[in-house]
Amino acid sequence: MAGIRWHPEDFDHVQSRVQTAGTAELFSDDDRSIAADSWSIKSEYGSTLDDEQRNADAYAALSSGVFGTSDYSSDKDEQDTEVEPSVLGLQSHWDAAYADDLTNFHEHGYAGEIWFGVEVMESVATWTVKLCFSLKQGHNIDQEDVTNRNLEEANSEATVKELASWSVLDIGTGNGLFLHALAKQGYSDLTGTDYSEAAVELARNLAVRDGFTNINFLADDILESKLQIQFRLVNDKGTLDAIGLHPDGAVKRIMYWGSVSKLVAPGGLLVCLLVITSCNSTKDELIEELNSYQESLIDGNSKSEMQGCSTSLASTNDSQPLFHYLDHVRTYPTFTFGGVEGSRVATVAFLRSHI
């Protein structure tokens, strides 16, 4: 079911971190927010993309109206067109917050907050396992109850073998505890990235403390990612929400879709997924936004062909979308407000096509 839009500050576990800031302060901090220039990735994952061109492409798509509204019907009568900027959209806020958490960890063993709470984190982890097994066992993914049915239990050896085949990336991993939850479910090829180096250091410390030394943590900005490998499962629990709260959120959300599309491996012989959990977008809004982005790729390809040139917004195929809606979590508590039923959180899985 789709949710009702809630600002992250409505969550009790987030309220303690929200600071008072005016619009001028938000924009003055822009050059410090969502930027990867200061980070260096000391790993085998490689170099860079043309970040300036991607930023320019996103602005061009907005200004030209290419990134339009799809025909997908939403679960809400009226769409929220804007989300008010917040300090939660600024890297400086998260750098300071995770620096505090790191200090508290060293002094008191404090692990930090879990975005959306423990219940949602564990629900997403369990649901993800069920989804992966439903696809492995060949269930009809078009059926509404694909992840709610009682799946046939595999023996432990088969379970370990299947989950070990999934390379997993958690973007905006924060303290990395969601990857701990996935590790407990049986996943073993796990990577977490965050643009805050303090978050990465905290995540590494917690993984060592809790015995998950196989998890790899890297400093990387999803909007300007330097990663040169792809993953079968890419998870986002709140990162798109935070990006949307930046003063340039509309532009940066377009950049997000371009970046994340490059990190999910093409489907085909292996199923590959993008899973997004949000409190600022409903299920239908996430589907609509992704569809709009994909339509902009196809439109960009068509215009480029007519002009005899290429565009960095173009996909690798002229007419095929990169992702298709697959499923969503249906077990979150619901309530009714203003005649609309929904939940505070939406988790949606998108299936990567073979292109």
Side-chain angles (χ1 to χ4, degrees):
M1 73 203 70
I4 296 174
R5 182 187 301 279
W6 287 83
H7 204 271
E9 282 89 337
D10 291 330
F11 285 84
D12 294 337
H13 66 282
V14 173
Q15 280 182 325
S16 62
R17 283 191 167 174
V18 177
Q19 304 166 3
T20 303
T23 303
E25 290 174 313
L26 292 176
F27 278 94
S28 65
D29 205 12
D30 185 44
D31 60 343
R32 298 177 57 196
S33 60
I34 323 241
D37 305 67
S38 60
W39 307 138
S40 60
I41 299 179
K42 302 178 179 65
S43 76
E44 70 276 19
Y45 287 124
S47 59
T48 185
L49 302 172
D50 188 353
D51 300 328
E52 291 184 1
Q53 184 60 51
R54 289 164 56 198
N55 199 9
D57 288 337
Y59 274 104
L62 275 181
S63 61
S64 65
V66 170
F67 192 68
T69 303
S70 75
D71 293 331
Y72 193 93
S73 59
S74 174
D75 57 323
K76 298 170 69 175
D77 293 333
E78 295 184 6
Q79 294 297 299
D80 295 323
T81 58
E82 294 183 1
V83 176
E84 184 178 349
S86 163
V87 293
L88 296 177
L90 300 178
Q91 182 178 337
S92 56
H93 167 80
W94 295 111
D95 284 343
Y98 283 116
D100 288 343
D101 285 350
L102 189 58
T103 299
N104 286 330
F105 168 78
H106 288 306
E107 294 180 355
H108 310 292
Y110 176 61
E113 297 167 353
I114 297 176
W115 194 251
F116 303 146
V118 175
E119 183 178 355
V120 169
M121 179 184 73
E122 294 179 346
S123 294
V124 174
T126 302
W127 175 81
T128 300
V129 171
K130 290 183 178 180
L131 183 62
C132 291
F133 271 110
S134 71
L135 296 171
K136 174 68 174 179
Q137 294 176 357
H139 291 307
N140 181 3
I141 60 176
D142 292 327
Q143 294 186 17
E144 285 294 317
D145 62 344
V146 60
T147 57
N148 288 335
R149 66 175 70 187
N150 292 322
L151 300 177
E152 197 175 307
E153 290 293 332
N155 61 59
S156 59
E157 183 178 348
T159 300
V160 171
K161 183 178 179 180
E162 169 61 19
L163 294 183
S165 71
W166 286 82
S167 57
V168 181
L169 173 66
D170 185 33
I171 57 177
T173 194
N175 56 21
L177 294 185
F178 178 69
L179 290 176
H180 294 201
L182 290 182
K184 292 175 183 177
Q185 292 289 340
Y187 293 94
S188 57
D189 186 356
L190 300 167
T191 300
T193 61
D194 201 288
Y195 65 5
S196 172
E197 288 189 339
V200 171
E201 186 176 351
L202 175 64
R204 288 171 176 165
N205 278 275
L206 288 170
V208 170
R209 185 194 72 176
D210 296 343
F212 298 107
T213 54
N214 62 305
I215 302 177
N216 189 29
F217 292 103
L218 302 168
D220 187 58
D221 184 347
I222 179 58
L223 299 186
E224 300 173 345
S225 179
K226 308 300 187 295
L227 302 184
Q228 290 188 325
I229 65 171
Q230 295 178 309
F231 301 82
R232 286 191 65 189
L233 171 61
V234 173
N235 176 80
D236 171 351
K237 187 166 65 70
T239 299
L240 181 59
D241 284 347
I243 289 171
L245 294 173
H246 188 274
D248 288 335
V251 170
K252 292 183 182 296
R253 286 176 80 102
I254 296 177
M255 295 172 64
Y256 167 91
W257 292 113
S259 293
V260 79
S261 297
K262 294 179 175 67
L263 294 174
V264 184
L269 295 177
L270 295 176
V271 174
C272 300
L273 301 174
L274 169 65
V275 176
I276 299 178
T277 300
S278 171
C279 67
N280 263 359
S281 297
T282 66
K283 168 184 72 76
D284 287 352
E285 287 172 334
L286 287 171
I287 296 171
E288 181 178 4
E289 183 175 352
L290 178 54
N291 285 347
S292 293
Y293 172 78
Q294 296 185 132
E295 288 171 9
S296 75
L297 298 185
I298 296 172
D299 290 344
N301 280 334
S302 299
K303 292 178 181 179
S304 296
E305 287 183 356
M306 293 177 61
Q307 298 170 358
C309 61
S310 61
T311 174
S312 59
L313 276 176
S315 67
T316 56
N317 187 284
D318 289 342
S319 59
Q320 297 297 317
L322 298 174
F323 294 96
H324 300 274
Y325 163 75
L326 177 64
D327 199 15
H328 68 280
V329 171
R330 296 171 172 80
T331 57
Y332 293 137
T334 62
F335 60 91
T336 301
F337 180 80
V340 179
E341 185 180 46
S343 64
R344 283 193 171 193
V345 181
T347 298
V348 185
F350 298 97
L351 182 68
R352 179 71 158 84
S353 67
H354 67 278
I355 59 174

